[in-house]
Amino acid sequence: MLWVIAILVIYIIQLITIVFLEHKHPSKTVAWLLISFCFPLIGFVLYYFVAQDYTARRRVRHNRYEGDLLGRIKSITRITNLNSMNNVYMRKQPRLFGLVSALSDSPMTGCNRTVILTNGQETYNALIEGLKSATHHIHMEFYIIRDDVIGRMIQELLIQKASEGVQVRVIADGIGSLELNQAYVTKLRKAGVEFHFFLPLAVSLFRRRLNYRNHRKIVVVDGRIGYVGGLNIGDEYAGYHEKLGFWRDTHMQIEGDAVYALQAVFLHDWSFASGQKVWQEELFPPHQCTGDEQVKMVSSGPDADLAATQELFFGALISAQERIWMMTPYFVPDLSIRLALKTAGMSGVDVRIIIPHQSDSNIVDWAARSYLEEMMKAGVKFYEYQQGFCHAKTLIIDKTLACIGTANMDMRSFYCNFELNAILFDSKAIYRVETDFLEDFEVSREIEYRHFMERSHKQRVMEAISRMLSPLL
């Protein structure tokens, strides 16, 4: 009898501990309580290793090294203010401009030229040409790097550039690239490529940071050309996935001042992953200004006080007056994003969201669909992409701005992942993203409310369970 009481007391202590530590995040509290209720001991062990607050042990971000990087960027960047914005619609949004300007350390840059890259083949072609042009350094950071056809093609190119004397540094996420074999990494290192994992599995377990991922995709060539967007390095991103087939994604090539911000984010991550604080004047070379596009890079992560990705999306959504067009592979919004979308829909804003018809994760798909009913009641329209798997993370707000980046519209991207988004204000760039959206709508099917309400009871149960767990997905 006493052992039963002891077990009960331990169980109650576990629940109290979770409630106390997660009191700032009610949705996460419910999710962890559900797991602990179903799996009393296993659930708490999992909580111990996965749910550790990153900021509780974070290192001080604004040290001298990062201060030097920021100072260097600001000294060589054409910084844009509200009155100098080329986009007349943005000039009418001083509050939104103030918010976007305040998010992350990088300045609002005013001297850029961007190229929107649609899907894998176009992106890899542009990336390969950029890598071939490198003469001083290549900085590459991806969530996933695979040892497959695409991965080995990039590997050989990096080895070739290293043999030419180019400094090559590569970061891969320790969990996202968990399947990357050691032989692939060893071959790179033997050729002179510096390669480090960001929070590898052993370190994640030891430091109790298993739930945190570096989801950024960054390439910087000679400090002149940068790449950012949704694609990783692997065959599936070129459309070779047996189950998902065609892979719809969006990436971006950029030249100009915003590349300095990309460089700073990479160097920040490099110092964490490798312990090296790299500083060379050649990393921030002067450039010939070939365009006047205005771009802002917004980085976010669990090591910051501000959830910059969530703040960015929320601020953009509530500013919309005419349209919100969004594509996201994972739609697991928090309360603030749900309220912003519903308010916009009820106010007559044209809110359209493209999600996958065929997802690569059943539980995430069930969680996403648990939010659709309340959204559609408020006038939000959802479309299922029919041509394959849509993985692009893109957003258009009126004619004010467009967003291309690494962040999904989900709580993991808001609070757990290291992310990076490029905010575009140039009317031609926005139109280019809009053109892709219109083509995507043509191959998507609207989810009709009446048909959606006829889904099975089993489906509703799976949605309800997945929704409770969604803060952890």
Side-chain angles (χ1 to χ4, degrees):
M1 186 65 179
L2 289 177
W3 66 269
V4 175
I5 295 175
I7 292 175
L8 182 61
V9 169
I10 293 173
Y11 180 63
I12 293 174
I13 291 174
Q14 293 178 8
L15 299 183
I16 292 174
T17 301
I18 292 173
V19 172
F20 177 76
L21 294 177
E22 299 293 343
H23 70 279
K24 294 182 179 180
H25 307 285
S27 57
K28 289 179 64 177
T29 302
V30 172
W32 280 115
L33 288 177
L34 175 63
I35 293 174
S36 296
F37 177 77
C38 297
F39 310 100
L41 180 59
I42 296 175
F44 191 73
V45 172
L46 187 64
Y47 176 80
Y48 178 84
F49 283 103
V50 173
Q52 167 72 16
D53 184 4
Y54 193 102
T55 59
R57 294 187 176 185
R58 70 166 182 245
R59 63 193 181 89
V60 178
R61 296 190 69 203
H62 299 288
N63 52 32
R64 181 177 178 180
Y65 173 66
E66 295 191 0
D68 289 343
L69 290 178
L70 182 60
R72 173 64 174 162
I73 291 174
K74 290 185 175 180
S75 69
I76 58 178
T77 297
R78 182 185 299 178
I79 299 176
T80 300
N81 57 40
L82 182 62
N83 293 328
S84 61
M85 289 296 293
N86 296 333
N87 188 326
V88 295
Y89 299 96
M90 191 65 201
R91 287 206 298 267
K92 298 176 183 178
Q93 295 274 9
R95 291 182 60 190
L96 179 60
F97 179 88
L99 171 66
V100 175
S101 298
L103 293 175
S104 75
D105 293 330
S106 63
M108 184 85 74
T109 62
C111 184
N112 301 283
R113 185 175 71 87
T114 65
V115 179
I116 308 301
L117 304 169
T118 305
N119 301 322
Q121 199 60 56
E122 187 175 2
T123 298
Y124 290 137
N125 288 343
L127 178 59
I128 288 169
E129 287 303 310
L131 294 176
K132 287 180 178 179
S133 72
T135 58
H136 184 265
H137 68 268
I138 292 171
H139 289 165
M140 179 180 292
E141 176 175 354
F142 284 97
Y143 177 61
I144 295 173
I145 298 178
R146 299 202 188 282
D147 183 7
D148 53 20
V149 175
I150 298 294
R152 287 189 288 274
M153 180 173 60
I154 297 297
Q155 179 194 51
E156 291 302 320
L157 184 51
L158 295 179
I159 290 172
Q160 176 188 332
K161 300 309 294 187
S163 71
E164 297 172 3
V166 175
Q167 301 171 21
V168 183
R169 301 180 178 93
V170 180
I171 303 172
D173 182 73
I175 304 300
S177 298
L178 188 61
E179 296 180 2
L180 185 63
N181 61 63
Q182 188 59 42
Y184 183 98
V185 178
T186 300
K187 186 175 181 179
L188 285 171
R189 287 173 174 166
K190 284 184 176 180
V193 175
E194 296 185 71
F195 189 107
H196 289 277
F197 285 102
F198 191 99
L199 287 176
L201 179 60
V203 174
S204 296
L205 284 170
F206 180 74
R207 296 186 181 180
R208 295 158 56 195
R209 291 179 173 178
L210 195 61
N211 198 38
Y212 301 103
R213 318 284 165 76
N214 190 322
H215 198 239
R216 293 168 180 155
K217 294 93 175 171
I218 300 172
V219 177
V220 178
V221 177
D222 291 344
R224 301 178 296 102
I225 308 172
Y227 301 85
V228 64
L231 281 92
N232 290 291
I233 302 298
D235 287 353
E236 67 263 43
Y237 303 96
Y240 302 140
H241 194 286
E242 291 184 4
K243 177 184 176 183
L244 299 175
F246 177 74
W247 192 283
R248 169 70 182 92
D249 221 321
T250 299
H251 223 77
M252 185 179 74
Q253 175 181 307
I254 186 165
E255 299 175 44
D257 291 345
V259 178
Y260 299 145
L262 281 179
Q263 185 79 288
V265 175
F266 176 88
L267 293 174
H268 165 76
D269 291 345
W270 181 257
S271 68
F272 178 85
S274 69
Q276 305 169 9
K277 291 179 171 55
V278 180
W279 177 257
Q280 302 171 23
E281 289 292 329
E282 292 85 354
L283 299 179
F284 299 93
H287 65 85
Q288 296 294 325
C289 189
T290 58
D292 61 354
E293 295 182 46
Q294 293 159 333
V295 178
K296 165 78 175 184
M297 294 292 175
V298 176
S299 61
S300 66
D303 61 340
D305 293 318
L306 182 69
T309 294
Q310 189 264 358
E311 292 278 358
L312 167 65
F313 289 157
F314 177 75
L317 294 175
I318 63 173
S319 73
Q321 300 180 28
E322 296 179 1
R323 66 174 175 178
I324 297 171
W325 290 2
M326 177 194 309
M327 175 180 278
T328 180
Y330 312 116
F331 182 75
V332 187
D334 67 357
L335 178 59
S336 64
I337 299 298
R338 299 202 305 271
L339 287 175
L341 287 170
K342 290 194 293 185
T343 301
M346 295 174 66
S347 301
V349 175
D350 178 16
V351 185
R352 307 187 206 176
I353 302 175
I354 301 176
I355 59 176
H357 169 66
Q358 184 176 12
S359 177
D360 62 344
S361 172
N362 286 334
I363 189 170
V364 174
D365 185 54
W366 289 326
R369 292 175 188 279
S370 73
Y371 297 99
L372 265 56
E373 182 177 338
E374 61 178 298
M375 296 284 109
M376 289 192 287
K377 280 184 178 179
V380 177
K381 297 179 180 179
F382 285 88
Y383 297 79
E384 291 181 316
Y385 187 78
Q386 301 291 313
Q387 196 167 305
F389 179 62
C390 62
H391 188 256
K393 304 96 164 51
T394 49
L395 174 68
I396 295 178
I397 302 295
D398 299 336
K399 295 182 180 179
T400 306
L401 61 82
C403 177
I404 294 174
T406 70
N408 301 304
M409 193 64 65
D410 66 3
M411 285 181 266
R412 168 163 288 283
S413 286
F414 297 163
Y415 307 118
C416 298
N417 287 348
F418 294 86
E419 304 283 6
L420 181 64
N421 293 289
I423 315 303
L424 311 178
F425 304 96
D426 184 78
S427 58
K428 292 181 180 178
I430 296 173
Y431 178 75
R432 177 65 180 81
V433 181
E434 176 186 336
T435 300
D436 279 353
F437 261 109
L438 292 173
E439 292 181 3
D440 293 331
F441 286 132
E442 289 296 319
V443 294
S444 300
R445 181 178 61 197
E446 184 176 356
I447 301 175
E448 296 183 8
Y449 179 77
R450 179 173 59 85
H451 289 160
F452 183 74
M453 294 302 293
E454 294 173 354
R455 65 197 189 283
S456 67
H457 291 293
K458 178 183 177 181
Q459 175 75 16
R460 293 172 185 266
V461 170
M462 298 308 297
E463 289 174 5
I465 295 173
S466 300
R467 179 164 179 155
M468 284 189 285
L469 296 174
S470 62
L472 310 180
L473 299 178

